[in-house]
Amino acid sequence: MTHYEVAVAGGGPVGMLLALELATRGVRTVVLEQLPEPTGESKAGTLHARTAETLHRRGLLDAVQPGPHKAARRGGRSVTFHFAGLFNLDIGRVVDEGPVIVGSPQAYAEQVFADRAAALGAVIQRDSEVVGLDDRGDRVVLDVRSTSGATRQVTADWVVGCDGARSAVRKLSGIKFVGTPGTVAALMGDVRLLDPGTAPVGWQRTERGWTLFWTNPFGHSRVCTYDFRDAALSRPDRTAPVTLEELRTEVERIAGRPVPMDQPRWLTRFTDAALQADTYRRGRVLVAGDAAHVHFPAGGQGVNLGLQDAVNLGWKLAAQVRGWAPEGLLDTYHAERHPVAARVLYNVRAQVGLMLPDRRVDALRELFVELMQLPQVNDFLAGMITGVDVRYDTGRPDDQLAGLFVPDLRLKVGAEAATLAELLRAGRPVLLDLADREPLRRVAAPWADRVDVVVASCDDVPSAPTLLVRPDGYIAWGGTGLESDHDTLDEALRTWFGAPA
């Protein structure tokens, strides 16, 4: 029986990024993935601003973008996006650090994370389905089955379920999945359109439902249908594989005319069920990504939520494994990430309501178009979609900076130019002293084994504060220039990074 410090169930992008975060910190990690080989399918391909900013701080942003043309690193430009299929949202208004949005096929990013995790020592075991789980208090024993039917056991100090909406880890650990049931029957697939010039364009709402076409006249096009009829959810074949004929018939019914297609590459079905784990941790078992939250794919928010779960959890779980985590640190994963996902489920449910193909909703949609022209409304909705409005409750209400995501400041460290993102590449906390406050550096000195202290200057910050930045890029403490900074910094270091060595 092989023992690891952490076992990650599920080798999608969330599981692989978590494995990379753990391996970066030297944690003995195994990824148990049910599929014998990657499918290459990408249901998601949009990275929003906060995820792009986060990956940039790990040196991963360029790597997850296929092809030679990388997204420009600039914020503050207009970028049109949608809310409930209303393309009147400018998400660029709320993004100061670019890119505003990134095209990154899910399967491509997953492979990037997997390759880097493996290079750092993570073990990736495919054809490995978790079918049993026993949390014994000091370790977790997993029963793992291959497609041949053979079973084996794997033990780990900790287990993280990143195994999707039907998570075996979540179910076996007894974590409840609660929320609202589905009201929409949706189909999606990549097919070849035989006459792409006559296919419906983009997002089309009719009294019979929605069609969504991402048309590629030279290859496969992505096609979606949304059926809001109650009867659609009660069909006996709702869990059966989707056929090309089913997708073609549904497109014709909603569009009101035939749309010839063939050569399906992959087909799937889903609903707008909005469900969330009632706790992200039970004993030595945690959940992340779709195992922790699922919702209708409105605005491409799901994979972004999961990737940010991984970065929030990775350093905290590594601290627990290494033995320096302060009491309660691991529980801040649930405390911080559960409300963020709940807010996404809330905005997605609102979008589904606005998308109803009912004439009684038409006036509401028209009103929303007008409201979205108001800067305050635009920025409120854009902040939710992009994730840049996330601020964690660090328990320091008087600290104006604590809980905020730190911008990628341009710095001068000695005679060398640097950026804050570069300082966070190693995945370690940083005490950034922009005011040359040597007494504060003395406070942090006992934590030198786990906190990097950097003295720098920065023209972008007029007040020149001292910042304690967590490995995930969020500020744990911000200096005020007062004498009390010595005590509050010591408290913050102990709260987030344990007792000094």
Side-chain angles (χ1 to χ4, degrees):
M1 186 185 301
T2 309
H3 184 81
Y4 297 91
E5 290 174 320
V6 176
V8 178
V14 175
M16 291 302 187
L17 180 57
L18 177 60
L20 175 54
E21 286 286 290
L22 293 167
T24 297
R25 297 167 174 87
V27 175
R28 296 195 310 277
T29 305
V30 63
V31 179
L32 303 170
E33 166 53 45
Q34 180 178 349
L35 295 176
E37 298 292 339
T39 65
E41 298 171 0
S42 292
K43 296 180 182 179
T46 299
L47 299 182
H48 283 297
R50 181 49 49 85
T51 306
E53 293 166 349
T54 301
L55 294 179
H56 177 44
R57 281 148 182 75
R58 288 295 184 273
L60 293 167
L61 182 56
D62 283 342
V64 299
Q65 299 173 66
H69 302 294
K70 308 301 184 183
R73 276 210 188 19
R74 62 183 189 277
R77 57 193 172 92
S78 179
V79 176
T80 300
F81 203 72
H82 81 93
F83 189 85
L86 300 169
F87 284 82
N88 301 87
L89 200 61
D90 181 2
I91 58 175
R93 280 179 48 92
V94 299
V95 180
D96 296 321
E97 175 191 329
V100 177
I101 196 167
V102 171
S104 175
Q106 174 180 323
Y108 188 89
E110 173 187 308
Q111 194 60 52
V112 168
F113 301 149
D115 290 345
R116 296 201 178 196
L120 291 174
V123 176
I124 298 172
Q125 297 182 356
R126 298 191 178 274
D127 193 17
S128 299
E129 179 187 7
V130 174
V131 294
L133 182 153
D134 182 12
D135 185 346
R136 298 185 179 177
D138 60 343
R139 67 191 186 283
V140 183
V141 179
L142 298 172
D143 297 319
V144 181
R145 181 174 62 198
S146 69
T147 51
S148 68
T151 61
R152 68 184 191 281
Q153 287 190 323
V154 173
T155 68
D157 296 330
W158 299 89
V159 171
V160 186
C162 301
D163 47 344
R166 296 181 176 87
S167 170
V169 168
R170 187 190 65 239
K171 294 173 183 176
L172 291 167
S173 64
I175 295 175
K176 296 179 181 178
F177 215 31
V178 297
T180 57
T183 63
V184 178
L187 303 177
M188 179 167 63
D190 286 349
V191 298
R192 188 183 68 148
L193 298 177
L194 301 184
D195 191 0
T198 62
V201 177
W203 298 50
Q204 297 290 333
R205 176 175 175 260
T206 77
E207 66 273 17
R208 296 172 296 278
W210 285 75
T211 59
L212 287 70
F213 278 73
W214 292 269
T215 301
N216 176 8
F218 306 107
H220 279 70
S221 300
R222 177 151 296 182
V223 177
C224 283
T225 62
Y226 299 160
D227 185 353
F228 287 73
R229 299 174 302 167
D230 291 340
L233 286 166
S234 61
R235 292 172 184 163
D237 62 347
R238 189 166 64 87
T239 59
V242 181
T243 65
L244 176 64
E245 183 59 29
E246 182 182 6
L247 177 62
R248 184 164 45 206
T249 300
E250 186 68 353
V251 169
E252 180 175 346
R253 182 189 70 79
I254 295 174
R257 56 187 170 85
V259 180
M261 60 185 74
D262 66 5
Q263 296 183 14
R265 198 152 57 189
W266 65 272
L267 302 164
T268 189
R269 70 177 79 242
F270 56 93
T271 77
D272 64 321
L275 304 169
Q276 190 173 17
D278 65 344
T279 179
Y280 284 12
R281 176 192 174 192
R282 173 158 294 173
R284 289 183 170 267
V285 179
L286 303 104
V287 290
D290 286 355
H293 40 72
V294 295
H295 57 81
F296 197 62
Q301 299 174 80
V303 71
N304 289 271
L305 265 181
L307 294 177
Q308 291 170 55
D309 288 347
V311 176
N312 184 286
L313 175 60
W315 70 274
K316 297 173 182 177
L317 186 53
Q320 191 75 36
V321 169
R322 289 290 163 260
W324 59 256
E327 184 178 356
L329 177 66
L330 199 52
D331 290 327
T332 66
Y333 167 59
H334 170 92
E336 292 181 345
R337 295 304 299 165
H338 192 277
V340 174
R343 186 165 168 78
V344 170
L345 267 62
Y346 154 73
N347 88 58
V348 168
R349 283 194 296 261
Q351 292 189 64
V352 171
L354 277 170
M355 293 177 73
L356 283 168
D358 188 315
R359 292 180 180 176
R360 291 171 293 182
V361 181
D362 291 353
L364 181 58
R365 289 178 63 81
E366 292 168 8
L367 176 61
F368 238 78
V369 168
E370 292 188 45
L371 290 173
M372 289 161 69
Q373 309 308 311
L374 300 175
Q376 300 94 325
V377 176
N378 180 97
D379 295 357
F380 178 78
L381 297 176
M384 287 197 297
I385 296 292
T386 61
V388 300
D389 68 349
V390 171
R391 179 175 187 173
Y392 295 138
D393 181 1
T394 64
R396 296 184 53 81
D398 296 332
D399 190 329
Q400 296 183 356
L401 297 176
L404 291 173
F405 193 77
V406 69
D408 188 20
L409 302 172
R410 292 188 175 98
L411 307 170
K412 195 168 212 179
V413 181
E416 300 294 325
T419 67
L420 187 67
E422 291 170 348
L423 300 183
L424 292 171
R425 292 276 170 89
R428 286 168 56 88
V430 172
L431 179 68
L432 181 62
D433 182 4
L434 299 175
D436 195 13
R437 301 180 69 187
E438 197 272 339
L440 291 182
R441 300 199 294 274
R442 285 203 306 269
V443 172
W447 282 268
D449 63 318
R450 70 199 75 148
V451 178
D452 294 333
V453 177
V454 178
V455 182
S457 59
C458 179
D459 295 335
D460 297 337
V461 184
S463 59
T466 305
L467 302 174
L468 180 62
V469 184
R470 305 186 331 183
D472 56 2
Y474 286 84
I475 299 171
W477 171 90
T480 62
L482 300 177
E483 192 68 31
S484 59
D485 281 355
H486 301 76
D487 294 334
T488 57
L489 175 57
D490 182 87
E491 179 188 0
L493 286 163
R494 293 176 184 275
T495 298
W496 292 105
F497 309 119

